[in-house]
Amino acid sequence: MALKARPGRDEGEQAVVHRMALARKAPKEVVERCRMVELSWDGWLVPQIAGELRCSQKTVRRWLHRFNGLGLEGLEDLGGQGRKRRITEAERSRIVGLVKQTPPGRLEVQPSNEMWAADESGPSEWTLDTLVAAARDLGIEVSRSQVRRILLAEGVRWRRTRSWTRSKDPDFEGKGRGSSSSTPARPPARQWSAPTNSAR
């Protein structure tokens, strides 16, 4: 029976494989292994994949077997070959993917004009701390500094909105212009000039 990559466990796994197969900054070896899986999903056989990627059939079989058994983690370098990465490429992709998602606690206007959030107890904005918490909920043990380095390396930007620009109160209105015109303006300081010869 011809060896094939098993179907993705979910859309998330499929999306990560697709993203890594096209990644420019990821290690070349990981990109190639994700391409093996994608080509197998597209119906390519092991000899065809090996010819396309210019590698041995044994190499293709090894990584397809590892993906079938271990999933995305199986596409990382085999253990015992130098220092193991603390964060895998698959985990890096998941962390970057979090930033592109709407924070679960952010209120959004629904078609009925009502405000609704997926999880009102969740973060309304992505910050380094909330990203670390969300990553750990996914089973990724990562520190705040690691998340920062990953986002900087990937060129991902995010902005922390000032507290007064967002509110969970639907009647909240953002700050507009400054104080009202009824507030008296501060009188200009009196100008003093030195006496001139003409004043003598």
Side-chain angles (χ1 to χ4, degrees):
M1 184 176 179
L3 174 63
K4 296 182 179 180
R6 61 158 176 75
R9 291 195 179 103
D10 52 40
E11 292 183 1
E13 186 177 66
Q14 294 174 10
V16 171
V17 169
H18 178 67
R19 180 178 179 276
M20 294 304 302
L22 300 174
R24 295 182 179 181
K25 296 183 179 180
K28 180 181 177 181
E29 296 82 5
V30 176
V31 173
E32 183 177 81
R33 294 162 198 166
C34 287
R35 288 199 63 202
M36 291 176 187
V37 173
E38 273 210 318
L39 291 173
S40 181
W41 283 344
D42 290 341
W44 291 44
L45 301 177
V46 169
Q48 295 172 310
I49 297 173
E52 174 69 15
L53 301 180
R54 298 181 182 180
C55 62
S56 69
Q57 295 184 33
K58 181 179 179 180
T59 297
V60 175
R61 289 192 183 93
R62 181 202 316 177
W63 295 110
L64 290 182
H65 275 301
R66 282 181 59 82
F67 176 77
N68 289 346
L70 301 173
L72 293 168
E73 303 302 325
L75 301 181
E76 296 295 323
D77 287 326
L78 298 171
Q81 298 181 358
R83 183 179 178 183
K84 186 177 180 181
R85 292 179 60 91
R86 295 179 63 185
I87 301 294
T88 67
E89 290 300 327
E91 290 171 336
R92 288 171 65 94
S93 294
R94 287 173 180 164
I95 291 171
V96 172
L98 283 173
V99 182
K100 299 178 180 179
Q101 298 176 12
T102 300
R106 177 177 295 175
L107 288 169
E108 296 185 307
V109 179
Q110 301 302 303
S112 61
N113 288 329
E114 293 182 359
M115 301 293 285
W116 180 86
D119 179 7
E120 291 187 5
S121 64
S124 61
E125 297 291 339
W126 287 130
T127 64
L128 291 178
D129 290 330
T130 57
L131 285 170
V132 167
R136 289 179 177 172
D137 287 343
L138 295 175
I140 304 173
E141 287 300 320
V142 64
S143 68
R144 193 173 187 272
S145 60
Q146 285 176 310
V147 171
R148 181 179 179 81
R149 286 196 297 270
I150 290 170
L151 298 182
L152 288 175
E154 295 291 332
V156 177
R157 294 183 179 182
W158 79 101
R159 181 185 301 174
R160 179 184 298 176
T161 307
R162 293 182 182 178
S163 60
W164 54 262
T165 59
R166 287 191 181 275
S167 171
K168 293 185 178 182
D169 182 355
D171 296 326
F172 172 81
E173 292 184 6
K175 285 190 177 180
R177 301 181 62 183
S179 57
S180 67
S181 58
S182 61
T183 304
R186 182 177 178 179
R190 184 174 179 181
Q191 298 293 325
W192 294 95
S193 59
T196 62
N197 291 335
S198 60
R200 291 180 181 176

